Amino acid sequence: MSQIHSQIHSQANTSQTLATNLLILGSGPAGYTAAIYAARANLSPVLVTGLQPGGQLTITTEVENYPGFATAIQGPRLMEQMAQQAVHTGTRIEYDLITSVDFSHGSPFHLMGDSGTTYKARSVIIATGAQARWLGLPNEKRLQGAGVSACATCDGFFYRGKNVVVVGGGNTAVEEALYLTHHAAHVTVIHRRDKFRAEKVLQERLFNEKKISVLWNTIVEDILSAGTPPVVTGVVLRDIQNNRQYSLQTDGVFIAIGHTPTTSLFQGQLELDSEGYIVIPTPRSTQTSVPGIFAAGDVQDKIYRQAVTAAGTGCMAALDAERFLSGL
Ligand code: FAD
Ligand code: NAP
């Protein structure tokens, strides 16, 4: 755990009530950026980290596309810097997990922490992110960052001139495969059915791309590695039509089988779309279906899902919350 994240103390089993102008849920780029802006607006925000202080970027290595760093920055280090900046500007950080919310009576809102703390907040920014879905293979987790990835935009650069596979058949898989052709020598898309669910226009682009081939009706049964530290060397596949198992050499495995937004807490409290993402009814805003509750980052974004876009919407949410609070 990083320096500042290890210094954040839990409110273990207290039953205190913590009142605040603004409660921010989540310590990824969206949450910390919202905190920095809100603290600089003298809102004295409280940020609850959740179980993954620093968010998704703490499980990656080099981040090369976050502006401001001449070369790469390690994901955990970037998040450490954001946490320090949030504290420096005046954010109170709580190492806690929000376990239930009540948005039904309007502002002030009541939220319960796993620690026993009740949070009473005049406004709330939800930045609880989304988690990539994984296949659940035994070697998949072990090889994350060593050839297994769920983000081509983030990691594609490391596969210049190499062979990679992409698993999935939706828009994300097809877009990731197309993106990877800018770097990789060859991209093999592995899909469990004989049809993509991706939009036709994307499919056409993929079928016209000479660097891409598709293995239909095929599932990945294992990921192979070699060396110390280990790097991916191949995948074990099964053709589900004839049940044949075989290996394919590859340098990288990109899993693109969808994301799950972290929103189960908000079911029945906020409008969510059919995939569980928080709905922002008005374009160019972060206001959710409940006035005073704002959402930023991956929890409301199924298209871009980048650290910089999460940070951007975090900034927007803080500015929207400031406007809401001054109107109360
Ligand atoms: P997240 O980073 O997902 O953070 C969510 C936060 O919410 C966490 O702190 C969690 O603890 C907290 N939380 C969840 N539930 C609760 C709760 N109930 N109470 C309180 N807190 C809660 N993007 C890039 O731009 N460049 C990259 O190189 C890059 N690499 C990536 C590599 C990997 C392996 C992955 C998985 C993603 C990568 N991404 C990259 C995507 C990027 O990490 C995300 O777009 C970004 O982190 C989203 O930020 P966020 O703040 O919305 O949410
Ligand atoms: P998705 O549409 O849910 O597609 C997931 C794909 O992964 C499907 O093809 C599915 O196969 C496959 N899959 C799921 N679980 C699997 C498993 N365990 N093993 C093997 N394959 C598995 O997810 P997505 O592509 O991430 O897209 C999510 C949403 O974001 C969609 O609404 C999409 O339109 C949107 N999106 C839009 C854009 C854009 O507009 N440019 C870009 C990206 C995403 P089956 O087909 O057999 O179910």
Side-chain angles (χ1 to χ4, degrees), residues 142-143 225-233:
R142 183 175 70 85
L143 295 168
S225 65
T228 317
V231 288
V232 164
T233 55

Side-chain angles (χ1 to χ4, degrees), residues 308-322:
V308 71
T309 48
T313 51
C315 158
M316 288 167 63
L319 298 178
D320 288 347
E322 188 187 354

Side-chain angles (χ1 to χ4, degrees), residues 133-135 167-175 190-193 195-199 202 218-220 256-259 275 277 302-303 305:
R133 281 188 217 130
W134 298 95
L135 292 168
V167 185
N171 276 345
T172 303
V174 172
E175 282 194 343
I190 299 168
H191 185 36
R192 64 183 178 182
R193 288 192 296 134
K195 269 189 208 77
F196 285 137
R197 66 169 65 232
E199 289 165 26
L202 288 174
T218 302
I219 57 171
V220 179
I257 59 169
H259 281 74
E275 294 164 68
Y277 287 87
K302 59 183 156 202
I303 297 183
R305 294 191 290 231

Side-chain angles (χ1 to χ4, degrees), residues 51-284:
L51 290 181
Q52 190 177 42
Q56 291 174 61
L57 283 185
T58 58
I59 60 160
T60 190
T61 51
E62 295 192 338
V63 178
E64 289 195 330
N65 53 11
Y66 197 86
F69 304 93
T71 55
I73 180 161
Q74 296 289 312
R77 172 100 183 110
L78 175 60
M79 296 320 299
E80 172 73 23
Q81 292 291 313
M82 286 194 202
Q84 285 188 13
Q85 195 175 355
V87 170
H88 174 75
T89 48
T91 305
R92 171 169 173 171
I93 298 185
E94 293 290 316
Y95 184 40
D96 200 355
L97 176 76
I98 298 299
T99 51
S100 69
V101 302
D102 182 2
F103 298 156
S104 59
H105 303 294
S107 174
F109 305 100
H110 291 85
L111 301 91
M112 275 301 295
D114 190 45
S115 63
T117 300
T118 302
Y119 298 88
K120 194 173 151 193
R122 296 172 75 216
S123 61
V124 176
I125 294 176
I126 299 171
T128 49
Q131 296 287 326
R133 281 188 217 130
W134 298 95
L135 292 168
L137 299 171
N139 282 326
E140 194 178 35
K141 198 166 183 153
R142 183 175 70 85
L143 295 168
Q144 275 172 34
V148 175
S149 168
C151 181
T153 330
C154 320
D155 297 329
F157 181 78
F158 304 113
Y159 296 89
R160 189 165 284 171
K162 299 190 172 177
N163 294 327
V164 296
V165 302
V166 175
V167 185
N171 276 345
T172 303
V174 172
E175 282 194 343
E176 302 252 287
L178 289 166
Y179 177 82
L180 285 164
T181 60
H182 300 311
H183 303 290
H186 189 79
V187 182
T188 306
V189 179
I190 299 168
H191 185 36
R192 64 183 178 182
R193 288 192 296 134
D194 62 353
K195 269 189 208 77
F196 285 137
R197 66 169 65 232
E199 289 165 26
K200 291 285 174 283
V201 58
L202 288 174
Q203 295 194 33
E204 262 167 43
R205 255 179 247 160
L206 181 138
F207 295 136
N208 287 331
E209 175 53 63
K210 290 189 178 60
K211 277 184 168 183
I212 301 180
S213 55
V214 182
L215 291 174
W216 301 107
N217 301 306
T218 302
I219 57 171
V220 179
E221 292 198 323
D222 200 3
I223 302 172
L224 305 172
S225 65
T228 317
V231 288
V232 164
T233 55
V235 279
V236 178
L237 303 177
R238 186 175 296 276
D239 181 327
I240 54 174
Q241 283 192 315
N242 57 21
N243 210 27
R244 183 173 75 98
Q245 192 189 56
Y246 62 103
S247 304
L248 177 77
Q249 181 276 326
T250 191
D251 302 298
V253 180
F254 287 85
I255 312 289
I257 59 169
H259 281 74
T260 309
T262 316
T263 55
S264 51
L265 199 55
F266 312 114
Q267 264 165 21
Q269 300 278 339
L270 292 178
E271 192 185 342
L272 307 178
D273 72 9
S274 58
E275 294 164 68
Y277 287 87
I278 295 178
V279 171
I280 304 294
T282 314
R284 297 166 64 80

